[in-house]
Amino acid sequence: MLMPKRVKWRKQMRGRMSGHETRGTELDFGEYGLQALEPGWLTQRQIEAARRALVHSMKRRGKIWLRIFPDKPITIKAAETRMGKGKGAVDHWVAVVKPGRIIFEVGGLPEDAAREALRLAAFKFGLKTKMIAKIEATGAKE
Amino acid sequence: MSDIELKGKVRSAVGKGLFALRTSGKIPAVVYGPGLDALPIELEAKTTVQTLNRLTGSTLVKLSVDQKTYSVLLRDIQRDSIRRTILHADFYAVPTDRVIRVRVPLHLAGISAAVRDFSGILVPVLSDLEVECLPKDLVSGITVDLAPLEKIGDSITIKDITLPPGIRALMDADDTIVTVTAQMAEEEVVAPVAAAVPGEVEVIEKGKKLEEGEEEEGAPAPAKDAKESKEAKK
């Protein structure tokens, strides 16, 4: 499962998820994408489950781009432990997602197949998402 | 010039006034170019959204603003990241006598034998091509024929396509536009490992920590000496 190889600090504070995403909100690689509409934490297990659902549904066609990475450690105190005595041990890793973030991008397959694959992948996340398609790129230069 | 026409009006609302402008069904935009000061304009959202959505960055548009007509290219569109509605558009007034650089979209056409007969996967690498030309030679898109892709591993590069007259590609001639790869292997289903082992993550050592560590190493030494002296007393 996805997790960082090296980190600067072993444990983090929870943080806040106010506002919407300002980066990673446009399709940069594929033709279709899954966009988050709510803020939340996506765990490494959820991301892996969604990726497998995509791979299974795409039946060896097309290509997948994962646009998030679980780099936030979540700690949990051991069961039947009294409060205090410091922060618990790292249990799993999550990716912080805010509204507007593109989670997955897919390309190289027909729209109906992409739509179905992303629909199945979206069930693995506990937040509202929508599918978006690429609109003509612009890029005139001097 | 293409037949696409847009009509706008000079805009006085700027900054925070744009919120009211957008709610009244207008799209704020700007026109700029060589020898032309940036001119804030507003477009009617109802009539222009569909046109703006299908415009490419290399389609010349006739933009009329209060009796003046500009030949413009759509340079940038800002969209609401969630609703995907257009927030603002940038138009570049092209100089008619000067060579301009534009990114022209590439359209893939035809059927590749490698995809049809060998179930290969078509991987588009480039979606647009940076070119240099006079505005009169500009095209809204370049069509790439996929017929030369006959077997898996074949690719089409920039030097393989014929560009319309008057247009010169600015990118490396060996850059790949599209290629055909074999289907990815079936993913083996591995039994899930009992949770990730977070302890394996390496923590970057800090200078401060090292100093602390040195102190700690130095600290037990006197204790050991004390122990030895106790034993000697005995």
Side-chain angles (χ1 to χ4, degrees), chain A residues 3 5-8 10 25-26 35 51 60 90 130 135 139-142, chain B residues 53 57 75 81-82 84 92 101 103 121 184 187 198 201-204 206:
Chain A
M3 61 191 281
K5 286 194 185 77
R6 299 171 77 214
V7 290
K8 193 163 183 182
R10 197 181 295 278
T25 59
E26 300 294 327
Q35 187 179 39
R51 195 191 62 81
R60 296 188 282 164
V90 174
K130 73 168 176 183
I135 304 171
K141 277 188 173 181
E142 272 180 57
Chain B
N53 277 343
R75 182 178 260 191
S81 58
I82 298 166
R84 322 303 297 173
Y92 177 66
R101 285 180 173 192
R103 293 194 81 91
I121 293 176
M184 49 186 166
E187 195 168 277
V201 177
E202 186 189 339
V203 180
I204 300 169
K206 300 291 286 180

PDB file of all heavy atoms in Angstrom, chain A residues 3 5-8 10 25-26 35 51 60 90 130 135 139-142, chain B residues 53 57 75 81-82 84 92 101 103 121 184 187 198 201-204 206:
ATOM      1  N   MET A   3       2.605   4.567   0.967  1.00  0.00           N
ATOM      2  CA  MET A   3       3.037   5.303   2.160  1.00  0.00           C
ATOM      3  C   MET A   3       4.401   5.919   1.865  1.00  0.00           C
ATOM      4  O   MET A   3       5.114   5.449   0.982  1.00  0.00           O
ATOM      5  CB  MET A   3       3.099   4.398   3.391  1.00  0.00           C
ATOM      6  CG  MET A   3       4.078   3.251   3.281  1.00  0.00           C
ATOM      7  SD  MET A   3       3.878   2.068   4.592  1.00  0.00           S
ATOM      8  CE  MET A   3       4.708   2.902   5.900  1.00  0.00           C
ATOM      9  N   LYS A   5       8.367   6.943   2.000  1.00  0.00           N
ATOM     10  CA  LYS A   5       9.570   6.181   2.339  1.00  0.00           C
ATOM     11  C   LYS A   5      10.309   6.858   3.508  1.00  0.00           C
ATOM     12  O   LYS A   5      10.823   6.213   4.386  1.00  0.00           O
ATOM     13  CB  LYS A   5      10.509   6.117   1.139  1.00  0.00           C
ATOM     14  CG  LYS A   5      10.039   5.168   0.057  1.00  0.00           C
ATOM     15  CD  LYS A   5      11.188   4.906  -0.911  1.00  0.00           C
ATOM     16  CE  LYS A   5      10.739   4.073  -2.081  1.00  0.00           C
ATOM     17  NZ  LYS A   5       9.977   4.842  -3.069  1.00  0.00           N
ATOM     18  N   ARG A   6      10.376   8.191   3.430  1.00  0.00           N
ATOM     19  CA  ARG A   6      11.066   8.954   4.467  1.00  0.00           C
ATOM     20  C   ARG A   6      10.163  10.113   4.868  1.00  0.00           C
ATOM     21  O   ARG A   6       9.481  10.685   4.021  1.00  0.00           O
ATOM     22  CB  ARG A   6      12.367   9.549   3.927  1.00  0.00           C
ATOM     23  CG  ARG A   6      13.365   8.546   3.449  1.00  0.00           C
ATOM     24  CD  ARG A   6      14.501   9.252   2.746  1.00  0.00           C
ATOM     25  NE  ARG A   6      15.412   9.858   3.707  1.00  0.00           N
ATOM     26  CZ  ARG A   6      16.054  10.989   3.486  1.00  0.00           C
ATOM     27  NH1 ARG A   6      15.847  11.662   2.372  1.00  0.00           N
ATOM     28  NH2 ARG A   6      16.897  11.465   4.369  1.00  0.00           N
ATOM     29  N   VAL A   7      10.171  10.442   6.140  1.00  0.00           N
ATOM     30  CA  VAL A   7       9.406  11.613   6.587  1.00  0.00           C
ATOM     31  C   VAL A   7      10.280  12.463   7.486  1.00  0.00           C
ATOM     32  O   VAL A   7      11.241  11.971   8.079  1.00  0.00           O
ATOM     33  CB  VAL A   7       8.126  11.206   7.359  1.00  0.00           C
ATOM     34  CG1 VAL A   7       7.106  10.603   6.446  1.00  0.00           C
ATOM     35  CG2 VAL A   7       8.442  10.302   8.514  1.00  0.00           C
ATOM     36  N   LYS A   8       9.937  13.737   7.558  1.00  0.00           N
ATOM     37  CA  LYS A   8      10.728  14.630   8.397  1.00  0.00           C
ATOM     38  C   LYS A   8      10.341  14.456   9.868  1.00  0.00           C
ATOM     39  O   LYS A   8      11.174  14.454  10.743  1.00  0.00           O
ATOM     40  CB  LYS A   8      10.494  16.072   7.949  1.00  0.00           C
ATOM     41  CG  LYS A   8      11.478  17.045   8.535  1.00  0.00           C
ATOM     42  CD  LYS A   8      11.462  18.325   7.753  1.00  0.00           C
ATOM     43  CE  LYS A   8      12.499  19.290   8.291  1.00  0.00           C
ATOM     44  NZ  LYS A   8      12.466  20.554   7.558  1.00  0.00           N
ATOM     45  N   ARG A  10       7.792  12.091  12.508  1.00  0.00           N
ATOM     46  CA  ARG A  10       7.074  10.805  12.546  1.00  0.00           C
ATOM     47  C   ARG A  10       5.569  10.982  12.752  1.00  0.00           C
ATOM     48  O   ARG A  10       4.769  10.219  12.237  1.00  0.00           O
ATOM     49  CB  ARG A  10       7.663   9.941  13.664  1.00  0.00           C
ATOM     50  CG  ARG A  10       7.317   8.467  13.552  1.00  0.00           C
ATOM     51  CD  ARG A  10       7.917   7.696  14.686  1.00  0.00           C
ATOM     52  NE  ARG A  10       9.373   7.704  14.656  1.00  0.00           N
ATOM     53  CZ  ARG A  10      10.112   6.894  13.913  1.00  0.00           C
ATOM     54  NH1 ARG A  10       9.527   6.021  13.132  1.00  0.00           N
ATOM     55  NH2 ARG A  10      11.416   6.949  13.951  1.00  0.00           N
ATOM     56  N   THR A  25      -6.601  20.734  -9.517  1.00  0.00           N
ATOM     57  CA  THR A  25      -8.037  20.779  -9.798  1.00  0.00           C
ATOM     58  C   THR A  25      -8.347  20.642 -11.291  1.00  0.00           C
ATOM     59  O   THR A  25      -9.500  20.657 -11.673  1.00  0.00           O
ATOM     60  CB  THR A  25      -8.661  22.096  -9.298  1.00  0.00           C
ATOM     61  OG1 THR A  25      -7.997  23.173  -9.946  1.00  0.00           O
ATOM     62  CG2 THR A  25      -8.527  22.255  -7.806  1.00  0.00           C
ATOM     63  N   GLU A  26      -7.322  20.545 -12.124  1.00  0.00           N
ATOM     64  CA  GLU A  26      -7.541  20.415 -13.577  1.00  0.00           C
ATOM     65  C   GLU A  26      -7.036  19.056 -14.053  1.00  0.00           C
ATOM     66  O   GLU A  26      -6.109  18.502 -13.468  1.00  0.00           O
ATOM     67  CB  GLU A  26      -6.777  21.513 -14.329  1.00  0.00           C
ATOM     68  CG  GLU A  26      -7.172  22.930 -13.953  1.00  0.00           C
ATOM     69  CD  GLU A  26      -8.596  23.277 -14.338  1.00  0.00           C
ATOM     70  OE1 GLU A  26      -9.086  22.774 -15.367  1.00  0.00           O
ATOM     71  OE2 GLU A  26      -9.236  24.042 -13.600  1.00  0.00           O
ATOM     72  N   GLN A  35     -13.359  13.818  -9.346  1.00  0.00           N
ATOM     73  CA  GLN A  35     -13.077  15.010  -8.554  1.00  0.00           C
ATOM     74  C   GLN A  35     -13.821  14.963  -7.226  1.00  0.00           C
ATOM     75  O   GLN A  35     -15.007  14.613  -7.193  1.00  0.00           O
ATOM     76  CB  GLN A  35     -13.526  16.244  -9.351  1.00  0.00           C
ATOM     77  CG  GLN A  35     -13.134  17.545  -8.716  1.00  0.00           C
ATOM     78  CD  GLN A  35     -13.576  18.740  -9.539  1.00  0.00           C
ATOM     79  OE1 GLN A  35     -14.661  18.736 -10.101  1.00  0.00           O
ATOM     80  NE2 GLN A  35     -12.756  19.758  -9.605  1.00  0.00           N
ATOM     81  N   ARG A  51      -8.186   1.950  -6.659  1.00  0.00           N
ATOM     82  CA  ARG A  51      -7.294   1.700  -7.808  1.00  0.00           C
ATOM     83  C   ARG A  51      -7.551   0.309  -8.372  1.00  0.00           C
ATOM     84  O   ARG A  51      -7.611   0.103  -9.576  1.00  0.00           O
ATOM     85  CB  ARG A  51      -5.832   1.831  -7.359  1.00  0.00           C
ATOM     86  CG  ARG A  51      -4.837   1.948  -8.492  1.00  0.00           C
ATOM     87  CD  ARG A  51      -3.425   1.793  -7.992  1.00  0.00           C
ATOM     88  NE  ARG A  51      -3.185   0.486  -7.396  1.00  0.00           N
ATOM     89  CZ  ARG A  51      -2.928  -0.616  -8.095  1.00  0.00           C
ATOM     90  NH1 ARG A  51      -2.874  -0.573  -9.394  1.00  0.00           N
ATOM     91  NH2 ARG A  51      -2.746  -1.771  -7.475  1.00  0.00           N
ATOM     92  N   ARG A  60      -7.659  -4.049 -18.652  1.00  0.00           N
ATOM     93  CA  ARG A  60      -6.364  -3.911 -19.330  1.00  0.00           C
ATOM     94  C   ARG A  60      -6.376  -2.902 -20.475  1.00  0.00           C
ATOM     95  O   ARG A  60      -5.539  -2.936 -21.352  1.00  0.00           O
ATOM     96  CB  ARG A  60      -5.858  -5.278 -19.816  1.00  0.00           C
ATOM     97  CG  ARG A  60      -5.579  -6.216 -18.656  1.00  0.00           C
ATOM     98  CD  ARG A  60      -4.913  -7.453 -19.126  1.00  0.00           C
ATOM     99  NE  ARG A  60      -5.826  -8.383 -19.738  1.00  0.00           N
ATOM    100  CZ  ARG A  60      -5.451  -9.384 -20.494  1.00  0.00           C
ATOM    101  NH1 ARG A  60      -4.186  -9.576 -20.762  1.00  0.00           N
ATOM    102  NH2 ARG A  60      -6.341 -10.216 -21.003  1.00  0.00           N
ATOM    103  N   VAL A  90       1.878   5.405  15.196  1.00  0.00           N
ATOM    104  CA  VAL A  90       1.322   5.611  13.850  1.00  0.00           C
ATOM    105  C   VAL A  90       0.591   4.344  13.425  1.00  0.00           C
ATOM    106  O   VAL A  90       1.136   3.251  13.483  1.00  0.00           O
ATOM    107  CB  VAL A  90       2.436   5.966  12.849  1.00  0.00           C
ATOM    108  CG1 VAL A  90       1.889   6.039  11.439  1.00  0.00           C
ATOM    109  CG2 VAL A  90       3.081   7.286  13.225  1.00  0.00           C
ATOM    110  N   LYS A 130     -17.451  13.596  -8.258  1.00  0.00           N
ATOM    111  CA  LYS A 130     -18.115  13.642  -9.555  1.00  0.00           C
ATOM    112  C   LYS A 130     -17.083  13.373 -10.638  1.00  0.00           C
ATOM    113  O   LYS A 130     -15.878  13.574 -10.427  1.00  0.00           O
ATOM    114  CB  LYS A 130     -18.810  14.976  -9.781  1.00  0.00           C
ATOM    115  CG  LYS A 130     -17.902  16.147 -10.065  1.00  0.00           C
ATOM    116  CD  LYS A 130     -18.715  17.332 -10.548  1.00  0.00           C
ATOM    117  CE  LYS A 130     -17.822  18.542 -10.729  1.00  0.00           C
ATOM    118  NZ  LYS A 130     -18.534  19.732 -11.123  1.00  0.00           N
ATOM    119  N   ILE A 135     -12.032  19.522 -21.358  1.00  0.00           N
ATOM    120  CA  ILE A 135     -12.557  20.505 -22.307  1.00  0.00           C
ATOM    121  C   ILE A 135     -11.360  20.977 -23.123  1.00  0.00           C
ATOM    122  O   ILE A 135     -10.234  20.946 -22.626  1.00  0.00           O
ATOM    123  CB  ILE A 135     -13.224  21.685 -21.562  1.00  0.00           C
ATOM    124  CG1 ILE A 135     -14.301  21.138 -20.626  1.00  0.00           C
ATOM    125  CG2 ILE A 135     -13.839  22.675 -22.532  1.00  0.00           C
ATOM    126  CD1 ILE A 135     -14.875  22.152 -19.692  1.00  0.00           C
ATOM    127  N   GLY A 139      -3.933  27.559 -25.466  1.00  0.00           N
ATOM    128  CA  GLY A 139      -2.516  27.817 -25.207  1.00  0.00           C
ATOM    129  C   GLY A 139      -1.845  28.680 -26.245  1.00  0.00           C
ATOM    130  O   GLY A 139      -0.817  28.312 -26.783  1.00  0.00           O
ATOM    131  N   ALA A 140      -2.379  29.832 -26.551  1.00  0.00           N
ATOM    132  CA  ALA A 140      -1.722  30.731 -27.509  1.00  0.00           C
ATOM    133  C   ALA A 140      -0.566  31.445 -26.825  1.00  0.00           C
ATOM    134  O   ALA A 140      -0.660  31.825 -25.665  1.00  0.00           O
ATOM    135  CB  ALA A 140      -2.723  31.753 -28.005  1.00  0.00           C
ATOM    136  N   LYS A 141       0.536  31.557 -27.523  1.00  0.00           N
ATOM    137  CA  LYS A 141       1.702  32.260 -26.979  1.00  0.00           C
ATOM    138  C   LYS A 141       2.072  33.401 -27.914  1.00  0.00           C
ATOM    139  O   LYS A 141       1.627  33.426 -29.046  1.00  0.00           O
ATOM    140  CB  LYS A 141       2.881  31.299 -26.879  1.00  0.00           C
ATOM    141  CG  LYS A 141       2.861  30.463 -25.633  1.00  0.00           C
ATOM    142  CD  LYS A 141       4.148  29.718 -25.535  1.00  0.00           C
ATOM    143  CE  LYS A 141       4.273  28.979 -24.233  1.00  0.00           C
ATOM    144  NZ  LYS A 141       5.535  28.279 -24.132  1.00  0.00           N
ATOM    145  N   GLU A 142       2.918  34.307 -27.416  1.00  0.00           N
ATOM    146  CA  GLU A 142       3.341  35.412 -28.288  1.00  0.00           C
ATOM    147  C   GLU A 142       4.213  34.902 -29.408  1.00  0.00           C
ATOM    148  O   GLU A 142       4.988  33.997 -29.199  1.00  0.00           O
ATOM    149  CB  GLU A 142       4.141  36.432 -27.470  1.00  0.00           C
ATOM    150  CG  GLU A 142       3.251  37.462 -26.832  1.00  0.00           C
ATOM    151  CD  GLU A 142       4.047  38.449 -26.041  1.00  0.00           C
ATOM    152  OE1 GLU A 142       4.939  39.083 -26.609  1.00  0.00           O
ATOM    153  OE2 GLU A 142       3.767  38.577 -24.853  1.00  0.00           O
TER     154      GLU A 142
ATOM    155  N   ASN B  53     -16.319  27.195 -24.901  1.00  0.00           N
ATOM    156  CA  ASN B  53     -16.026  25.803 -24.539  1.00  0.00           C
ATOM    157  C   ASN B  53     -15.437  25.012 -25.695  1.00  0.00           C
ATOM    158  O   ASN B  53     -14.687  24.066 -25.478  1.00  0.00           O
ATOM    159  CB  ASN B  53     -17.291  25.104 -24.041  1.00  0.00           C
ATOM    160  CG  ASN B  53     -17.550  25.402 -22.583  1.00  0.00           C
ATOM    161  OD1 ASN B  53     -16.651  25.862 -21.877  1.00  0.00           O
ATOM    162  ND2 ASN B  53     -18.758  25.166 -22.136  1.00  0.00           N
ATOM    163  N   GLY B  57      -6.907  27.036 -28.594  1.00  0.00           N
ATOM    164  CA  GLY B  57      -5.994  28.171 -28.469  1.00  0.00           C
ATOM    165  C   GLY B  57      -5.462  28.664 -29.795  1.00  0.00           C
ATOM    166  O   GLY B  57      -4.760  29.679 -29.846  1.00  0.00           O
ATOM    167  N   ARG B  75      -6.373  32.835 -25.166  1.00  0.00           N
ATOM    168  CA  ARG B  75      -5.104  32.433 -24.561  1.00  0.00           C
ATOM    169  C   ARG B  75      -5.291  31.679 -23.251  1.00  0.00           C
ATOM    170  O   ARG B  75      -4.568  30.759 -22.944  1.00  0.00           O
ATOM    171  CB  ARG B  75      -4.234  33.661 -24.322  1.00  0.00           C
ATOM    172  CG  ARG B  75      -2.908  33.300 -23.741  1.00  0.00           C
ATOM    173  CD  ARG B  75      -2.070  34.502 -23.555  1.00  0.00           C
ATOM    174  NE  ARG B  75      -1.117  34.624 -24.631  1.00  0.00           N
ATOM    175  CZ  ARG B  75      -0.117  35.480 -24.602  1.00  0.00           C
ATOM    176  NH1 ARG B  75       0.036  36.265 -23.577  1.00  0.00           N
ATOM    177  NH2 ARG B  75       0.726  35.550 -25.592  1.00  0.00           N
ATOM    178  N   SER B  81     -13.216  25.758  -9.943  1.00  0.00           N
ATOM    179  CA  SER B  81     -12.636  24.417  -9.871  1.00  0.00           C
ATOM    180  C   SER B  81     -13.683  23.334  -9.635  1.00  0.00           C
ATOM    181  O   SER B  81     -13.436  22.172  -9.930  1.00  0.00           O
ATOM    182  CB  SER B  81     -11.563  24.354  -8.789  1.00  0.00           C
ATOM    183  OG  SER B  81     -12.123  24.716  -7.556  1.00  0.00           O
ATOM    184  N   ILE B  82     -14.831  23.665  -9.102  1.00  0.00           N
ATOM    185  CA  ILE B  82     -15.848  22.637  -8.830  1.00  0.00           C
ATOM    186  C   ILE B  82     -17.002  22.718  -9.825  1.00  0.00           C
ATOM    187  O   ILE B  82     -17.375  21.729 -10.426  1.00  0.00           O
ATOM    188  CB  ILE B  82     -16.359  22.760  -7.386  1.00  0.00           C
ATOM    189  CG1 ILE B  82     -15.174  22.516  -6.445  1.00  0.00           C
ATOM    190  CG2 ILE B  82     -17.463  21.759  -7.101  1.00  0.00           C
ATOM    191  CD1 ILE B  82     -15.407  22.917  -5.047  1.00  0.00           C
ATOM    192  N   ARG B  84     -16.997  24.267 -12.697  1.00  0.00           N
ATOM    193  CA  ARG B  84     -16.428  24.314 -14.052  1.00  0.00           C
ATOM    194  C   ARG B  84     -16.989  25.469 -14.880  1.00  0.00           C
ATOM    195  O   ARG B  84     -16.857  25.484 -16.100  1.00  0.00           O
ATOM    196  CB  ARG B  84     -16.593  22.992 -14.836  1.00  0.00           C
ATOM    197  CG  ARG B  84     -16.435  21.701 -14.098  1.00  0.00           C
ATOM    198  CD  ARG B  84     -15.152  21.526 -13.419  1.00  0.00           C
ATOM    199  NE  ARG B  84     -13.994  21.497 -14.315  1.00  0.00           N
ATOM    200  CZ  ARG B  84     -12.745  21.476 -13.887  1.00  0.00           C
ATOM    201  NH1 ARG B  84     -12.486  21.492 -12.597  1.00  0.00           N
ATOM    202  NH2 ARG B  84     -11.760  21.449 -14.744  1.00  0.00           N
ATOM    203  N   TYR B  92      -5.847  37.297 -26.843  1.00  0.00           N
ATOM    204  CA  TYR B  92      -4.602  37.892 -27.337  1.00  0.00           C
ATOM    205  C   TYR B  92      -4.857  38.457 -28.729  1.00  0.00           C
ATOM    206  O   TYR B  92      -5.173  37.695 -29.655  1.00  0.00           O
ATOM    207  CB  TYR B  92      -3.515  36.814 -27.363  1.00  0.00           C
ATOM    208  CG  TYR B  92      -2.191  37.269 -27.927  1.00  0.00           C
ATOM    209  CD1 TYR B  92      -1.426  38.227 -27.275  1.00  0.00           C
ATOM    210  CD2 TYR B  92      -1.695  36.732 -29.108  1.00  0.00           C
ATOM    211  CE1 TYR B  92      -0.218  38.638 -27.776  1.00  0.00           C
ATOM    212  CE2 TYR B  92      -0.484  37.135 -29.626  1.00  0.00           C
ATOM    213  CZ  TYR B  92       0.251  38.096 -28.951  1.00  0.00           C
ATOM    214  OH  TYR B  92       1.453  38.508 -29.451  1.00  0.00           O
ATOM    215  N   ARG B 101       3.665  32.530 -32.034  1.00  0.00           N
ATOM    216  CA  ARG B 101       3.831  31.154 -31.545  1.00  0.00           C
ATOM    217  C   ARG B 101       2.528  30.706 -30.909  1.00  0.00           C
ATOM    218  O   ARG B 101       1.985  31.397 -30.049  1.00  0.00           O
ATOM    219  CB  ARG B 101       4.924  31.097 -30.493  1.00  0.00           C
ATOM    220  CG  ARG B 101       6.301  31.201 -31.063  1.00  0.00           C
ATOM    221  CD  ARG B 101       7.291  31.125 -29.937  1.00  0.00           C
ATOM    222  NE  ARG B 101       8.639  31.054 -30.436  1.00  0.00           N
ATOM    223  CZ  ARG B 101       9.681  30.752 -29.693  1.00  0.00           C
ATOM    224  NH1 ARG B 101       9.514  30.486 -28.420  1.00  0.00           N
ATOM    225  NH2 ARG B 101      10.888  30.701 -30.207  1.00  0.00           N
ATOM    226  N   ARG B 103       0.090  27.081 -29.650  1.00  0.00           N
ATOM    227  CA  ARG B 103      -0.003  25.627 -29.444  1.00  0.00           C
ATOM    228  C   ARG B 103      -1.257  25.151 -30.181  1.00  0.00           C
ATOM    229  O   ARG B 103      -2.372  25.522 -29.836  1.00  0.00           O
ATOM    230  CB  ARG B 103      -0.103  25.285 -27.968  1.00  0.00           C
ATOM    231  CG  ARG B 103       1.169  25.608 -27.201  1.00  0.00           C
ATOM    232  CD  ARG B 103       1.167  24.954 -25.849  1.00  0.00           C
ATOM    233  NE  ARG B 103       1.574  23.563 -25.942  1.00  0.00           N
ATOM    234  CZ  ARG B 103       2.837  23.158 -25.825  1.00  0.00           C
ATOM    235  NH1 ARG B 103       3.791  24.030 -25.588  1.00  0.00           N
ATOM    236  NH2 ARG B 103       3.141  21.884 -25.925  1.00  0.00           N
ATOM    237  N   ILE B 121      -2.709  -0.852 -27.061  1.00  0.00           N
ATOM    238  CA  ILE B 121      -3.314   0.326 -26.431  1.00  0.00           C
ATOM    239  C   ILE B 121      -2.684   1.575 -27.020  1.00  0.00           C
ATOM    240  O   ILE B 121      -1.461   1.722 -27.038  1.00  0.00           O
ATOM    241  CB  ILE B 121      -3.127   0.302 -24.909  1.00  0.00           C
ATOM    242  CG1 ILE B 121      -3.929  -0.858 -24.335  1.00  0.00           C
ATOM    243  CG2 ILE B 121      -3.547   1.605 -24.263  1.00  0.00           C
ATOM    244  CD1 ILE B 121      -3.758  -1.065 -22.882  1.00  0.00           C
ATOM    245  N   MET B 184      -1.531  -4.038 -20.553  1.00  0.00           N
ATOM    246  CA  MET B 184      -0.823  -4.319 -19.300  1.00  0.00           C
ATOM    247  C   MET B 184      -1.204  -5.712 -18.805  1.00  0.00           C
ATOM    248  O   MET B 184      -2.310  -6.185 -19.048  1.00  0.00           O
ATOM    249  CB  MET B 184      -1.125  -3.247 -18.255  1.00  0.00           C
ATOM    250  CG  MET B 184      -2.557  -2.906 -18.036  1.00  0.00           C
ATOM    251  SD  MET B 184      -2.661  -1.520 -16.903  1.00  0.00           S
ATOM    252  CE  MET B 184      -4.349  -1.028 -17.126  1.00  0.00           C
ATOM    253  N   GLU B 187      -3.252  -7.988 -13.251  1.00  0.00           N
ATOM    254  CA  GLU B 187      -2.656  -7.756 -11.933  1.00  0.00           C
ATOM    255  C   GLU B 187      -2.886  -8.947 -11.036  1.00  0.00           C
ATOM    256  O   GLU B 187      -3.999  -9.451 -10.923  1.00  0.00           O
ATOM    257  CB  GLU B 187      -3.287  -6.513 -11.312  1.00  0.00           C
ATOM    258  CG  GLU B 187      -2.513  -5.982 -10.156  1.00  0.00           C
ATOM    259  CD  GLU B 187      -2.994  -4.604  -9.753  1.00  0.00           C
ATOM    260  OE1 GLU B 187      -2.569  -3.618 -10.369  1.00  0.00           O
ATOM    261  OE2 GLU B 187      -3.810  -4.544  -8.829  1.00  0.00           O
ATOM    262  N   PRO B 198       4.052   1.088   9.905  1.00  0.00           N
ATOM    263  CA  PRO B 198       4.500   2.467   9.882  1.00  0.00           C
ATOM    264  C   PRO B 198       5.888   2.636  10.468  1.00  0.00           C
ATOM    265  O   PRO B 198       6.570   3.581  10.197  1.00  0.00           O
ATOM    266  CB  PRO B 198       3.458   3.204  10.720  1.00  0.00           C
ATOM    267  CG  PRO B 198       2.433   2.202  11.101  1.00  0.00           C
ATOM    268  CD  PRO B 198       2.963   0.857  10.842  1.00  0.00           C
ATOM    269  N   VAL B 201       9.015   3.499   8.252  1.00  0.00           N
ATOM    270  CA  VAL B 201       9.265   4.791   7.623  1.00  0.00           C
ATOM    271  C   VAL B 201      10.486   5.439   8.258  1.00  0.00           C
ATOM    272  O   VAL B 201      10.585   5.545   9.475  1.00  0.00           O
ATOM    273  CB  VAL B 201       8.033   5.706   7.772  1.00  0.00           C
ATOM    274  CG1 VAL B 201       8.313   7.073   7.192  1.00  0.00           C
ATOM    275  CG2 VAL B 201       6.851   5.071   7.096  1.00  0.00           C
ATOM    276  N   GLU B 202      11.385   5.859   7.397  1.00  0.00           N
ATOM    277  CA  GLU B 202      12.620   6.472   7.883  1.00  0.00           C
ATOM    278  C   GLU B 202      12.353   7.936   8.239  1.00  0.00           C
ATOM    279  O   GLU B 202      11.697   8.644   7.485  1.00  0.00           O
ATOM    280  CB  GLU B 202      13.663   6.395   6.765  1.00  0.00           C
ATOM    281  CG  GLU B 202      15.022   6.868   7.180  1.00  0.00           C
ATOM    282  CD  GLU B 202      15.951   6.979   5.982  1.00  0.00           C
ATOM    283  OE1 GLU B 202      15.670   6.320   4.953  1.00  0.00           O
ATOM    284  OE2 GLU B 202      16.917   7.722   6.083  1.00  0.00           O
ATOM    285  N   VAL B 203      12.839   8.358   9.405  1.00  0.00           N
ATOM    286  CA  VAL B 203      12.683   9.756   9.810  1.00  0.00           C
ATOM    287  C   VAL B 203      14.000  10.471   9.553  1.00  0.00           C
ATOM    288  O   VAL B 203      15.059   9.978   9.925  1.00  0.00           O
ATOM    289  CB  VAL B 203      12.295   9.852  11.294  1.00  0.00           C
ATOM    290  CG1 VAL B 203      12.148  11.298  11.708  1.00  0.00           C
ATOM    291  CG2 VAL B 203      11.015   9.080  11.550  1.00  0.00           C
ATOM    292  N   ILE B 204      13.886  11.613   8.864  1.00  0.00           N
ATOM    293  CA  ILE B 204      15.103  12.366   8.543  1.00  0.00           C
ATOM    294  C   ILE B 204      15.709  12.890   9.842  1.00  0.00           C
ATOM    295  O   ILE B 204      15.031  13.550  10.632  1.00  0.00           O
ATOM    296  CB  ILE B 204      14.779  13.526   7.578  1.00  0.00           C
ATOM    297  CG1 ILE B 204      14.195  12.972   6.291  1.00  0.00           C
ATOM    298  CG2 ILE B 204      16.015  14.356   7.292  1.00  0.00           C
ATOM    299  CD1 ILE B 204      13.596  14.001   5.386  1.00  0.00           C
ATOM    300  N   LYS B 206      17.674  15.104  12.457  1.00  0.00           N
ATOM    301  CA  LYS B 206      17.882  16.542  12.583  1.00  0.00           C
ATOM    302  C   LYS B 206      19.169  16.790  13.359  1.00  0.00           C
ATOM    303  O   LYS B 206      19.570  15.983  14.215  1.00  0.00           O
ATOM    304  CB  LYS B 206      16.727  17.192  13.355  1.00  0.00           C
ATOM    305  CG  LYS B 206      15.382  17.001  12.711  1.00  0.00           C
ATOM    306  CD  LYS B 206      15.269  17.766  11.419  1.00  0.00           C
ATOM    307  CE  LYS B 206      15.123  19.246  11.674  1.00  0.00           C
ATOM    308  NZ  LYS B 206      15.015  20.015  10.437  1.00  0.00           N
TER     309      LYS B 206
END
